[in-house]
Amino acid sequence: MLPASVKWVSTVAVSALLVLSGCAGTAHIEKDKSADFSKYRTYAWIDKPEEKGRKKNRRTELTETNIRNAVNEQLQKNGWREVSANPDVLVSSELLVERNQKEQQDPVYSQPYSRSYYNRYSGRVITYYFPSRFMGYDTYSTTVREGTITITLIDNSTDKTVWQGWTTSELNSSRISSNEIDRSVKTIFRKFDTGK
């Protein structure tokens, strides 16, 4: 039998993992089954049309840089190399931040109370304690901000999308943080199976 301290540490560790995995969201992917991923070794980023000849949006510039850095890290872990000319694959990313309604439930419990009775035979007062009881759930809607990151890989020779991954996660503030970006991109690339 495990000591109480070991059981407590195990419980805390499992709880922390559940909380962290809940924050990461679920990744979804679409893959062209006819694409031969073994021939892909180099990539380059697609510049967005608004970046050519127009002033960059300073509010989103840092976010886009963080997404690119996170994707670069994951692709390079898979043995891919960023090049400036003749890449095998073109990479693009999109970020959509929107407000959504989320249903939440809070448990409702009755108030605990106690009652005292006078026992006329013993001449003493006896007090009974009634603990709170579970009554059900209070359901309500709240507004949350969610960020969806989408990564698209396009075969440079055929101009055909060969892989796309995306994930949606709840944001802690009005903008997506670099930690949230890293977590979301890692979640997407966990499903980056380039095998046939």
Side-chain angles (χ1 to χ4, degrees), residues 23 27 35 46 52 69 79 95 110 113 122 176:
C23 296
I46 299 175
K52 292 179 180 174
N69 290 340
L95 171 65
S110 65
Y113 64 95
S122 65
I176 189 165

Side-chain angles (χ1 to χ4, degrees), residues 9-21:
V9 170
S10 300
T11 305
V12 169
V14 168
S15 300
L17 282 173
L18 289 173
V19 167
L20 289 175
S21 65

Side-chain angles (χ1 to χ4, degrees), residues 20-119:
L20 289 175
S21 65
C23 296
T26 304
H28 307 277
I29 63 156
E30 289 291 330
K31 178 181 165 185
D32 181 357
K33 292 182 180 159
S34 66
D36 182 9
F37 278 82
S38 64
K39 68 178 184 177
Y40 300 141
R41 286 289 166 256
T42 60
Y43 70 94
W45 283 89
I46 299 175
D47 286 330
K48 294 183 179 173
E50 65 265 23
E51 290 178 0
K52 292 179 180 174
R54 267 209 217 162
K55 235 181 169 178
K56 287 188 180 182
N57 182 347
R58 299 291 179 204
R59 291 182 65 198
T60 60
E61 186 178 4
L62 186 59
T63 300
E64 288 171 10
T65 301
N66 288 336
I67 292 173
R68 282 190 182 207
N69 290 340
V71 173
N72 285 341
E73 183 184 341
Q74 295 304 313
L75 287 174
Q76 287 161 16
K77 275 184 183 176
N78 281 277
W80 292 29
R81 185 171 46 91
E82 186 175 9
V83 295
S84 55
N86 299 320
D88 299 326
V89 172
L90 299 171
V91 183
S92 73
S93 67
E94 285 182 47
L95 171 65
L96 174 66
V97 176
E98 59 187 349
R99 291 173 193 247
N100 279 324
Q101 292 295 314
K102 181 181 177 184
E103 289 287 318
Q104 290 192 312
Q105 289 186 332
D106 289 336
V108 178
Y109 295 91
S110 65
Q111 290 293 326
Y113 64 95
S114 58
R115 290 234 170 114
S116 297
Y117 299 95
Y118 176 72
N119 186 331

Side-chain angles (χ1 to χ4, degrees), residues 118-145:
Y118 176 72
N119 186 331
R120 59 187 177 132
Y121 299 108
S122 65
R124 291 192 296 182
V125 174
I126 301 169
T127 302
Y128 293 99
Y129 176 74
F130 297 91
S132 61
R133 294 184 328 173
F134 176 69
M135 306 291 286
Y137 289 97
D138 179 22
T139 305
Y140 58 95
S141 290
T142 57
T143 302
V144 294
R145 292 182 75 85

